[in-house]
Every structure is written in C-alpha cells, then in structure tokens.
Amino acid sequence: SWTILQLVEALGFCLENTDPRTRGRGIQLLSQVLLECHSLLQEKEVLHLVLFYENRLQDHHLVIPSVLQGLRALSLCEVLAPGLAVSVLKAIFQEVHVQSLLQQDRYTVYSIITNFMATREEELKGLGADFTFGFIQVMDGEKDPRNLMVAFQIVRDLIVKNYALGPFVEELFEVTSCYFPIDFTPPPNDPHGIQREDLILSLRAVLASTPQFAEFLLPLLIEKMDSDLQSAKLDSLQTLTACCAIYGQKELQEFLPSLWSSLRREVFQTASEKVEAECLSALHALSACLSRSVLSSDAEDRLDSFLSSILQDCRHHLCEPDMKLVWPSAKLLQAAASASLRSYHRLTHSILPLLLEQYNKHSQSSQRRTILEMLLGFLELQQKWGHVEEDESALLSLQETVCSVVFSALTDPSVQLQLVGIRALTVLGSLQGFLSPSDLELVVDHLVRLALHEEDSQSRGAGSHPDTRLSCISSLEREEESSQNLHSLQQRCLQALAAVSTHTSIVRETVPVLLQHLRNVQKGNSWRQAALCISVCQSLHRVALQCQQDAEGCWYYHQTVVPCLLAMAVQAATQESSHPLVSKALLEEEVLTAMVPVISAATTHLSPELAAQSVSHVVPLFLDGEVSFLPQNSFPCAFQPFEDGECLEPQRRLVALLMAFVCSLPHNVVIPQQERLLRELLALSCSCSCPFTATTASKCFAGLVNKHPAGQQLDEILQLAVNRMEPGLTEGPHRTQALILLLWVGLVCDQSPGLLGLLSDVELGPTAADGFSLLMAESPDVLHKGCHADVRIMFRQRFFTDNVPKLVQGFHGAGADVKANYLKSLSHVLNHLPKPVLVTELPTLLSLLLEALSCSDRVVQLSTLSCLQPLLLEAPQIMSLHIDTLVTKFLSLTSSPAMVAVVVLQLLPYKARVIRALAKPLDDKKRLVRKEAVAARGEWFLVGSPGR
C-alpha cells in the first residue's frame, strides 16, 4: 500500500545514519523491496533511485553489497531512462574495486552488466572501447567458477555482438586465456553443479570466437600441445579445431609449420587413442580452413604447400619394409584428404599409385591386408564426393589396377584379406560408372564363390551381396542334383538368398525360389529333409524380418508365404491322415516349430485392414475346412483339425500354425467365430494325447484370451477353462495336458491358481515345478509385445511377492520325495527375477539356495548356480558371510558324476584346498569339464599373486 517514495522516507533515519552498519541495513531493506517490485516502478522513480544508488557507491565498504543489489534490481527495470545504464556502469567501473568484493557481490556486478547488455546494447556500444576496458578491470583476477561462467559469456557477447574492442584485444585475450587450460575439480557434494567440462566449453567459446585472437592464441595452443599433460593436449587440439571454423589462411599461415609438426609428432608417438583422434580432427579442420580460402592471382596457395609438407613427411613411411609408421601416416593423409575435394585430389594423385605399387611389391597376406585397408580408406573418401569427372579423379585413371588388386584379394587364401577385399568391392560398386560390365560379371562370380563355396563363415556372410541373387537361384536348382556336400551347399544358398532379400523387388524373386525349394525337399522322411525344411524356414524368417518395415513388401510376403506354407502343411497332414504309413517332413515337430516364427513375422506388421482380410480366410480353414483360398487346394481328404479320431492327429499338429497367425494379429483385428474357436482350442488342449498339439492349443488359447476384451464373454470362457481343468488335474489320462493349460491360463491371468498344490503331487510335481520357469520367462512366440500381447509391467516382482513365501513354507512341510520340486520352483523364480530385487531378498533365501545345491536334481543345481553366480559379484558383503559353506558346496560339485559348473570365490584361505579338489576333474571324461577345471585351477593358482 506504500509508494517507493514513502518507503524511502520511512527509512530516512537508517539511510542517513552515521553508523555504516545501520546505513547498510537500511539500503539492504530498500534493495530487497526493489528486487521484489522493480516492474511496478515509474520512470521518474527509477531516475531518482539510480542517482541515489550511484551516490552510495562512494560510501563505506560495508554498504557496497547492498547498493549493488539495488542497482541489480534497477537494471531489470524496463522504464530505465536512456543514459542511465551507461551512468551506472561508469560509476561501478570508477568507484568499485570488484575483485576485492565477496563472491556473491562480484556475481551481482556481472549480473548488472549482463542485464544491461541484454536490454541496452546500443547505449553501451556508445561507450566504445571504454566499456571493454572497464569490464576487463572488473574481471581481472576472478577465480570463482560460478562467476567465471558468467564472465566468459559476457566476453563472448562482447565479441560476437561487435562491441568495440579498440586497442584492448590483447588485454581481453589475456584476461580470459590465463585460465587455459582449465584445471578445476568440483568439490564433493557441490550444490552449484558446475563441472570442469562446463568451464572448458565456456572458455573455448570465447577463445574461438574471433580471428583477432589468432596471433595470441595459436602460440599458446602449440605450447600446450607440447606439454606432458594429456588433458592440456586434448583441450588445445579441440580448441584448435573450433578456431579453424572461423579462421582464414591469413591467421594460420605463420603457424602452419609448427602446428603440423606438433600434430605429426602426436600421431606418430602418442600412446593415447583420444589424443590421436583429436589430432586427426584438428588436421582435418586445418585442411578444410585452408581449402575455403579464396585465392587472388598473386597469392600463394597455402593449402598446396601445407599438403606438400604432409606428403613429404608421410609418403616415404608407406614404402618402408617394416611398415612401422604406415598406419599413422595413412591416418594423417586421410584426415587431410577428407577435408575438401581439392585436398582429396591433391593427395590421391600421389598416394593411390604408391599404395597399388606397394600392394604388388609385398607378398605376405598380412602386409597386403594393411595396404588394402589404407587404400579402402581413400576409396571411402571418394564416396563422400560422389561422381567425379575422369580428368579430375586419380581413382578413375587407375580403374584397371584398382580392380585387379581388389580381385586378387578375393582369391587370397587369407580370410581377413578376403574380407577387406569384399569391403573394397562394396565401395567400388557404389561409385557410379566405375565398374565396367565385364568387371561386374567378375564381381558376381567372386561373391557367389565366397557365399556358396568358402568354408569360412565370415567370408560366406560377407559374400551374401545383392549381386549374388540370380546366381544363387540357379546354383540352388543346379546343385540339388549333386550329392557331394549337398546339405552344406544348399544351406549356404538359402542363407545367401535370405541375406540379399533387402528390397521388395528382390523379395519378389527370392521368396518363390525358397518356397519351391521347400516343396521339393519336404517330400520324404529322412532327417535331412526335415533339416533342410528347417533351413528354408530360417531363411524365410530372415526375409520376413527384413520386409516388416515396408508395407508393400510386407503384404506381398504375407499373401505369398502364409497361404503357401498352410497349403503344404495341409497337403502333408491330409495325405498322412489317409495314408498313415507315409511320413511327411513338414509334420515333424521341429519343422512346424520353425514355421511358427515365419508366419508370426509375416503377420505382426500387417495393417489392420489387410490383417482382417487374411484372418477371414485362415480361421474358416481350421474351423470349417474351407481350403478354397489355398494354392493347389486339391487334398486327399477333408481338413478337420478339431474333429475327434486318431487318424486326424497329423492335422491337429497344424494348430501350431493357427497359433502363429492369430496370436500375432493386432488388438483391433476382429477374429471371426472367436468364441467357437476358443472352445475348440480348449477342448483340444485338454483331450489330445499328443503333448506338442496340446501345448500349442493351450498357447493359442492363452494368446487369444490375452487380447480378448474384458467382460462377460471373457469371464464365461475362463470359467469354462477352469471347469475343464479341475477334473482333468484330479484324474484321468490327460493330467499333464490339463496342467499345461493351467500354466498358460495362469500366465495370461497373472496368477497360478492351484499350481503350488501340485508340487506335492508325485506324478505332476516335476512338471509343475518346471512350469514356474514358464510363468516367469518371456514367451517367445505368443505372449510378448512383438505379437501385440498385453504384457503387464512388474508381473515378475508381483509373482515373486505372492508365491515365494508359500514355496518356502511348502518346502519345509514337504516330504523328502517332493522337496526337490519346491527347490526347482524356487530356482526358476529367482533365476528370472530382476537382480536388484533378488539382492534385497537374498538374506532370507540364501540358506534355501545353499540347500538346493545339495539336491540330486541336476536341473536344480544348474538353476541355483546360475542364480548364485551374479550374486557373488553383486552382493559380496552378504555372500561372504557364507563363504565356507559356499566353497564346500562348489567343491562337492566338481567331483559329481554330473559335473554342472565350477563357480569359485577367489579367497586366499581356501587356495590350497580348492586346488587339491580341482585336480580330480582334470581327468574327467568330458572335455568341457576338463577345460573348466583347468581354467578354474589356473585362476586359483594366481590368488594372492601381485596384482590379483
């Protein structure tokens, strides 16, 4: 309710008091009020206040901090009259010795300057170089990092916003460069959060802000580059790189020899990859800076002379027999060549012929590989500049020699040299017009040979290049007739075809070939046919993954592959149903399992419209035998996978393919006859005697329930499932099937009703224990996010909280014949629990885990060890309390006939005992056991040695 004038009058006694402390308190209160309400002041009020505060700058030093706070408040006023900002700063520069103030008060001065620079720029520029000189006096000697961050920003604004520096350029440089390189370590628990890197970047922004600093900065950078301190080297190199963005030839020319000398020495001699990398970046920046210079007719081309120096110092190292400095020289040359097209032409005209000559001079594969890798570096630079006219490019003039060298590398016995040759060939293929038609034919021949006939997997993988696709197709068909190495060769063809299928146009060629091959090999019953079917499915799966992001390719793949696979599987199933003695490869569990991810990957990325179109055919196929949409749909009998009858068992297996399709559909796709389908799957899962079919039916049921909208229909379906499971679990021939359904329904419902009680069942107990692994693990083909399933967060933690106490209680109350079931269940749960959660629960569970190690069940031992191993590293304080028991348990396992692992704690008191115990498994009949024993024993021999 008061005006500022009334406040001043009320404070009159304090403001005019002869005691400086009293005056200081009065001005402090006034300043605090101004900081709160400066936006409400009128112009005339601001004028009087400014004059008052300027006067007070001559007052006692105890008063000055409060005066500065008031001026900071006034510097924020929008109604500040013209000329007042200049008046305030002149008064501060003249009356206040800033560096004698406390940190907070110095910060206030920087804030006043910053505020005026943001709002009164033109007025301050009217001061000319006096403003710059005044600020230099303010900043000179500043040490606090908080203040330096603001001061550096002010200096950068002075330069970037073109304030007059006048004769004070060197002084401004000196007042900032004295902090270079930054040597600052923030104190522990620093509340201000200023890091060394913040100061480095802020100072670098100043030093690299103007070419006017070049004559002072470059000698400083050269000096620091030659220091022994790595941080100083790195800071200097990074600052030089930043400066090159604004410097020109004029600023650099005097210092180029010294700069090159320092950079060359660091790359040739440094033991630090960081320093080497920064040197190469700086050399690149220097070359780019010189490349930008516009030359007058009588000016010397500094780029040419600079590159000549680089060539003179590096070229001869490429020819030395010991090749000691080959790589450093090549890196320097490539860093300079990558800076501009001019520098690239200048260097490659000299270097490429030399490298080609050296390649032919050396006979060892390792030396040739080094030279070819250097050549590859220059070839990759050519890609950067795109198509180049023949008269400008050294590469085009050496086309024949380059191709000859690369082709020779592809036929070299050394796999590593072949790989570099393939990389070089990839680059050459990307250069428009470089390879002639005859060269392209040779390329295809080499790549086909590498993809199909090389024994080394790296060469085969690298040889799977798009140019091989037609040759692979013909080879696949031709080589089928040969019996020599047929299986291996066909697998390579399949892998190559999948690898090149990266575009819809290629997929349209390769997918029909893969499907035709599947039709050919599925006839018969030998393991080889089944293995080849699996290989084809693996290749089809890879193609599906490569198609997923392209809508056109995804739909082509889906409508081509899914009906074809279904048709072949239905053909095989109906033939076996009518001729039971004829086995078909496509009905093998392993083959059907390999087909599942193919169909799933082909479906997950379909648009809702196309998915709805497809589901309208697939579901009626399984429910009603509607085969009209399948290619070659003439089958020996009806397809009825959900009907009763032993002869229909082959058809029921194909529910796995139905599962792959319907469980991969997006949520918003309506499945026709869904309730009927769920009932059929439920019946099949509880009544089928084939474990594979019953399991896939249960999984399919669970996948559909997972996406089913909540409501009465879903409740009825789940109740129906419970009604089928309960009697099935109690008695009858299908108890295991009922248990599998229970597990999958429990997984969907995020609970396991009745599962704990089954652990004490002698017949179902082991299967129920294994079911805990299923409940905790990620489902690979049905209930995961890739299939659009609804996955609840934290479900593992909730499952642990709900069930582990009951497992522990059940274990203590269980009979000896079923205790292992509880231990196995517990191991499965703990194995899949996030490690941070497990560590917190460890003290209460460790005794039970140690008891599990004594269990005779090998699965329990393995599972428990896999729990304990990371805990030895993550919770050593807890584990160390049980060290004696742990070592005893581990050593007892080493002599077990079923050796499962050697997990040891490297602790000196147990060294001799462990070494003696590990001597026995050295003679074990299993090579893997002997290998692990040797490794573990070797580690224990080193316990207590220096550095261990």
Side-chain angles (χ1 to χ4, degrees), residues 88 360 441 701 852 899 913:
V88 168
N360 291 319
E441 289 184 16
F701 178 83
M899 169 70 172
R913 178 181 166 194

Side-chain angles (χ1 to χ4, degrees), residues 311-383:
L311 276 170
Q312 182 180 345
D313 291 339
C314 294
R315 192 177 189 277
H316 65 280
H317 290 305
L318 303 182
C319 307
E320 291 173 354
D322 58 7
M323 303 181 78
K324 280 185 180 176
L325 293 176
V326 159
W327 266 119
S329 300
K331 288 176 181 177
L332 287 166
L333 289 162
Q334 287 171 7
S338 64
S340 68
L341 192 54
R342 276 180 65 205
S343 58
Y344 177 76
H345 286 322
R346 174 71 178 85
L347 292 175
T348 53
H349 272 285
S350 174
I351 296 301
L352 291 184
L354 179 63
L355 290 176
L356 293 168
E357 177 188 336
Q358 289 300 306
Y359 183 91
N360 291 319
K361 270 189 180 180
H362 290 282
S363 56
Q364 292 184 11
S365 295
S366 59
Q367 294 172 322
R368 287 189 157 194
R369 176 192 170 195
T370 299
I371 295 167
L372 187 56
E373 283 184 328
M374 287 188 288
L375 179 65
L376 174 60
F378 286 100
L379 295 179
E380 288 171 338
L381 291 180
Q382 177 75 64
Q383 284 182 303

Side-chain angles (χ1 to χ4, degrees), residues 61 65 67 78 82 132 166 191 201 281 326 373 400 407 413 461 531 566 568 622 673 771 792 809 841 891 925:
H61 68 89
V67 174
E78 295 181 6
T132 302
L201 294 176
S281 295
V326 159
E373 283 184 328
E400 186 176 339
F407 290 155
L566 291 173
M568 284 189 278
F622 282 84
Q673 307 181 70
R792 297 177 181 88
Q809 183 182 356
E841 300 291 338
L891 291 178
K925 61 182 179 179

Side-chain angles (χ1 to χ4, degrees), residues 794-810:
M794 304 286 285
F795 75 93
R796 291 184 179 87
Q797 289 88 323
R798 287 199 305 275
F799 189 90
F800 171 86
T801 304
D802 292 344
N803 292 284
V804 166
K806 298 174 185 175
L807 283 172
V808 174
Q809 183 182 356

